[in-house]
Amino acid sequence: MTTLEALGTTLVVGSGVFIVTYYLLINVGYLLIHVLALFQLRDSVRESEWNPSFRAFDSPFYPGVAMVVPAYNEAASIVESVRSMLALNYPDQEIVVVNDGSSDATLERLEEAFGLRPVNAEVPYDVPSEPIRGVYRSATHEDLLVVDKENGGKSDALNAGVWLTDQELFCAVDADTVIDRDALLDVVAPFLEEPSRTVASGGTIRVANECVVQDGQVKEVNLPKTGLAGVQVMEYLRAFYSGRLGLARLKGLILISGAFGVFRTDRVREIGGYRHDTITEDFDVVVRLHEHLSDNDVDYRIEFVPEPVAWTEVPETLRTLGRQRRRWYRGMMETVVASRRMFFRRAYGRVGTVVLPFFTAAEALGPLIEGFGYVLLPLGWYLGILNVEFFLLFLLLTVGAGVFLSWFGVFSEVWSYNRYESPWEVLRLLWYGVLENFGYRQWKTIVAWHGLIEYLRGDQSWGAMERRGFGDAGTDSAEAAGAAGPGVATAAATDSEAGPDDSASETGAAAAAADDGGFVWVDRLVDASDTDGFRWLAGVAADESTGRFVPSGELTAGAGDGGFVWTTDFSEGVGDGGFVWVTDPSLGAGDGGFVIALDDDESARLAATTDFSEGVGDGGFVWVTDPSLGPADGGFVWTRDPLDGAGDEGFVWVLDGGS
């Protein structure tokens, strides 16, 4: 053996011993946290079984809570989202919607639905946010406040809401989150027990994919049908019913989900609100609260309550999930680096001496080291030094321990609140606990390394987050693809936290006329089963596409190799026909077009007609095969005469959701 080979062998063997020792210690730590979580869960279940003799909803002792809802381009869902929040069971509640410089009709939808009236008073505070353009109070719901401001991102919008409410507590909630009706009553319980000490409290986040959502509430809990979403159910159970509960038992909870967390308003103001230079503001604000209160020698508590539940939709494609997880990793690194002065310092209690160092070792460095281990295995085999004992020990500490901890989370779920009642769903959960350790776990190590590279480059992008929107599970009709449950429907576009560079796709006229019908994007058309297309449906709540129509002078700039044509060969659907995607525009019917029509309630919709004077603007869209800037390609053009396509532009279909 040459000197170089000997050196390589020594490095590989030494690295292998380090990785095995590292993961042994990490898994021992995880096991201790999970055991502590069981004790905490036991206490929570016992407390939840006690029924007070009074009606909690009518109690005068509950502190006031402001639901702060950042909204950027949420025109499709904001009205029903607000209505669902107004229906929550809580005696003293205020809804503060912050319109963060939306480029769509978010503010207009709120004005129409709730009769907003300007608050004729100067803003009494120097709010740490982008300029506020106006503050409005609803004429029909006194507890609804709407803040209109210039765009600044989610943290900026949250700050505006926190500074413009007089409530003692505020609840940071995403506009596309579904909250159980009694969840607020439960999540504020720590503030009732120790009102002077409690500064924050978080609830559980669950996966809503395939759940039945009606009237802004989850009526039926179902496991996702796809393995990727199902594996994330397992991750969420493990994170909340084991991780968060165990850290709460240690008095070291450092993360409250931004989708559902309650905070003392004055304490968050003391630290200057949410930071603008981080992409995981929920993690950052909790760590900064720990740091600030410890520095000022304040006796405090930050709690996690497992029973109150909020529901969110998780990504169902690896591409979208990868963007999300890279962003989470970058945000975690930002917060860890920013809080480095707290590490191993007794002044910060268990957070500084135990929790933050362990969290960094396990969550920030762990995936990187595990990924390095996957590289060492084939390298050791190539050098002829890989022995069976090392290989099995590595698998035991990664895959074996992962399966055990996942099943631990399933046990906690079944033993406590048991939202998944079917034995078959429990078996599927156990299967997901195994499945995530073969392929998915290894993929996450690649994502972590990618996220590290983005962090080192200073990448601050958010990344588009496609969503299907919530609807009745098990529906195979086009309504399931386009009609979402009230209060939670969202156009397929981005996370609600997105800023101007990640703008959500605008909703069409159909989304504004949910009761009158509209065009939705579906994957199954009767006469074109192998293509996608638009179909007319009654009761459309949201646009279900991953793109939108944009005006263009070059029709070949659209997605795909064809266009939409009107056909009357539909056996189902409202009206005489619908649009289908074809590569031969001459197949379309030419007996009229579509106008933007206003109904009695001034809601807009697309109406088929041969008389364009009936529409808004005395014109409409027709399909032509020879627009002046797109010869032979075909496209929609605006015209006042349905017999010929006037104008020199058309509408093309693009997938980027941008403007």
Side-chain angles (χ1 to χ4, degrees):
M1 180 182 292
T2 65
T3 303
L4 185 61
E5 290 176 335
L7 179 61
T9 300
T10 302
L11 288 175
V12 170
V13 172
S15 299
V17 172
F18 168 76
I19 291 172
V20 168
T21 304
Y22 188 91
Y23 254 88
L24 179 62
L25 295 175
I26 292 296
N27 285 324
V28 168
Y30 273 136
L31 181 60
L32 290 175
I33 290 175
H34 281 57
V35 171
L36 290 173
L38 276 183
F39 287 105
Q40 187 76 1
L41 188 60
R42 178 201 60 188
D43 295 344
S44 297
V45 171
R46 286 176 178 175
E47 292 177 5
S48 68
E49 292 174 349
W50 177 75
N51 293 317
S53 57
F54 63 91
R55 293 179 60 196
F57 180 72
D58 295 331
S59 172
F61 302 107
Y62 279 84
V65 178
M67 307 288 290
V68 180
V69 186
Y72 178 78
N73 284 0
E74 296 284 354
S77 63
I78 191 62
V79 171
E80 292 300 338
S81 293
V82 170
R83 285 174 177 160
S84 68
M85 291 180 198
L86 287 169
L88 294 176
N89 291 334
Y90 199 80
D92 186 6
Q93 176 193 13
E94 180 182 43
I95 311 295
V96 182
V97 180
V98 183
N99 179 44
D100 190 31
S102 298
S103 58
D104 67 355
T106 297
L107 184 61
E108 289 75 9
R109 297 283 188 271
L110 290 168
E111 288 175 342
E112 295 169 2
F114 301 107
L116 300 184
R117 300 291 183 267
V119 176
N120 296 318
E122 294 293 329
V123 175
Y125 308 105
D126 183 15
V127 181
S129 72
E130 292 297 314
I132 294 173
R133 299 185 290 217
V135 181
Y136 305 87
R137 180 76 68 177
S138 170
T140 57
H141 296 80
E142 186 179 355
D143 296 331
L144 174 60
L145 186 74
V146 176
V147 180
D148 182 34
K149 59 178 288 294
E150 295 182 10
N151 182 268
K154 184 181 180 182
S155 297
D156 196 81
L158 285 169
N159 284 342
V162 170
W163 258 260
L164 292 179
T165 181
D166 294 327
Q167 299 288 10
E168 180 181 351
L169 310 177
F170 74 91
C171 178
V173 59
D174 292 342
D176 56 358
T177 299
V178 181
I179 302 176
D180 283 352
R181 191 147 287 166
D182 292 328
L184 265 184
L185 293 171
D186 295 322
V187 79
V188 301
F191 293 93
L192 297 178
E193 297 167 0
E194 296 187 75
S196 62
R197 293 185 63 232
T198 306
V199 297
S201 176
T204 299
I205 306 297
R206 284 181 177 266
V207 173
N209 300 50
E210 303 299 337
C211 292
V212 177
V213 180
Q214 295 175 352
D215 300 324
Q217 292 293 302
V218 174
K219 300 297 184 181
E220 181 181 323
V221 179
N222 298 309
L223 274 180
K225 295 179 180 178
T226 63
L228 187 60
V231 166
Q232 291 174 78
V233 173
M234 176 60 63
E235 286 185 305
Y236 277 63
L237 286 177
R238 187 173 59 241
F240 286 95
Y241 278 148
S242 295
R244 304 284 170 86
L245 273 172
L247 293 178
R249 189 77 174 189
L250 276 172
K251 307 302 179 186
L253 184 63
I254 58 174
L255 178 58
I256 290 177
S257 175
F260 186 44
V262 177
F263 299 84
R264 276 267 300 270
T265 306
D266 58 346
R267 292 301 189 189
V268 173
R269 288 176 180 173
E270 286 177 13
I271 63 174
Y274 290 86
R275 280 176 46 198
H276 295 72
D277 57 347
T278 180
I279 54 177
T280 50
E281 76 295 325
D282 47 2
F283 182 24
D284 176 80
V285 74
V286 177
V287 173
R288 286 168 55 225
L289 281 172
H290 280 293
E291 183 178 12
H292 169 76
L293 296 171
S294 297
D295 285 341
N296 290 275
D297 200 23
V298 175
D299 186 23
Y300 69 97
R301 64 187 288 216
I302 295 177
E303 292 295 331
F304 174 76
V305 186
E307 187 172 9
V309 171
W311 302 80
T312 190
E313 185 182 2
V314 299
E316 294 190 343
T317 65
L318 279 178
R319 181 181 179 184
T320 305
L321 182 61
R323 284 197 296 260
Q324 181 195 65
R325 297 305 170 87
R326 293 198 306 271
R327 171 169 55 85
W328 286 3
Y329 188 87
R330 285 186 276 121
M332 175 176 59
M333 292 299 297
E334 289 174 352
T335 301
V336 165
V337 171
S339 60
R340 60 189 180 276
R341 64 181 290 267
M342 299 174 63
F343 280 53
F344 305 109
R345 295 183 61 183
R346 295 181 62 184
Y348 298 104
R350 293 174 183 172
V351 171
T353 58
V354 177
V355 176
L356 270 176
F358 178 79
F359 180 87
T360 303
E363 301 295 333
L365 301 180
L368 304 179
I369 293 175
E370 182 177 340
F372 185 54
Y374 293 131
V375 174
L376 280 182
L377 287 175
L379 185 59
W381 173 83
Y382 175 77
L383 294 174
I385 59 174
L386 178 64
N387 58 56
V388 177
E389 290 79 6
F390 173 81
F391 178 73
L392 293 178
L393 186 58
F394 181 77
L395 287 183
L396 179 65
L397 290 175
T398 55
V399 175
V403 171
F404 175 76
L405 295 176
S406 295
W407 284 5
F408 211 108
V410 176
F411 171 75
S412 299
E413 155 68 11
V414 173
W415 177 59
S416 58
Y417 302 106
N418 197 22
R419 295 292 185 111
Y420 301 102
E421 298 178 351
S422 169
W424 291 111
E425 290 190 327
V426 174
L427 288 175
R428 283 175 59 198
L429 279 174
L430 294 174
W431 165 241
Y432 288 144
V434 176
L435 184 64
E436 70 169 326
N437 289 280
F438 294 93
Y440 178 71
R441 180 183 182 127
Q442 291 72 29
W443 171 80
K444 286 199 302 181
T445 65
I446 299 174
V447 171
W449 276 100
H450 192 173
L452 177 65
I453 294 172
E454 290 182 343
Y455 167 73
L456 295 175
R457 289 176 176 173
D459 190 344
Q460 288 290 315
S461 64
W462 195 273
M465 298 296 294
E466 294 101 10
R467 299 184 186 276
R468 291 189 311 159
F470 302 128
D472 292 349
T475 305
D476 292 329
S477 65
E479 285 89 343
V488 292
T490 59
T494 67
D495 272 350
S496 59
E497 302 93 329
D501 293 333
D502 307 296
S503 59
S505 61
E506 295 179 6
T507 57
D515 295 331
D516 299 304
F519 288 101
V520 293
W521 180 261
V522 295
D523 292 333
R524 292 185 308 278
L525 294 179
V526 175
D527 59 2
S529 58
D530 58 342
T531 66
D532 297 333
F534 272 108
R535 181 172 171 183
W536 179 265
L537 297 174
V540 177
D543 186 288
E544 191 58 31
S545 66
T546 58
R548 64 170 178 167
F549 281 117
V550 296
S552 173
E554 178 56 59
L555 295 179
T556 58
D561 298 319
F564 295 101
V565 297
W566 178 260
T567 177
T568 56
D569 188 20
F570 274 10
S571 63
E572 297 181 275
V574 179
D576 297 321
F579 284 109
V580 293
W581 181 267
V582 297
T583 56
D584 184 2
S586 65
L587 297 176
D591 298 324
F594 288 83
V595 296
I596 300 175
L598 293 178
D599 293 329
D600 294 338
D601 60 355
E602 295 189 351
S603 59
R605 63 186 175 90
L606 284 176
T609 182
T610 57
D611 182 6
F612 283 1
S613 64
E614 297 175 355
V616 177
D618 296 328
F621 298 107
V622 294
W623 179 267
V624 296
T625 58
D626 191 20
S628 60
L629 292 183
D633 292 311
F636 286 111
V637 295
W638 179 266
T639 179
R640 299 177 187 277
D641 185 350
L643 299 181
D644 54 24
D648 57 4
E649 289 190 339
F651 278 73
V652 296
W653 182 258
V654 298
L655 298 178
D656 61 3
S659 56

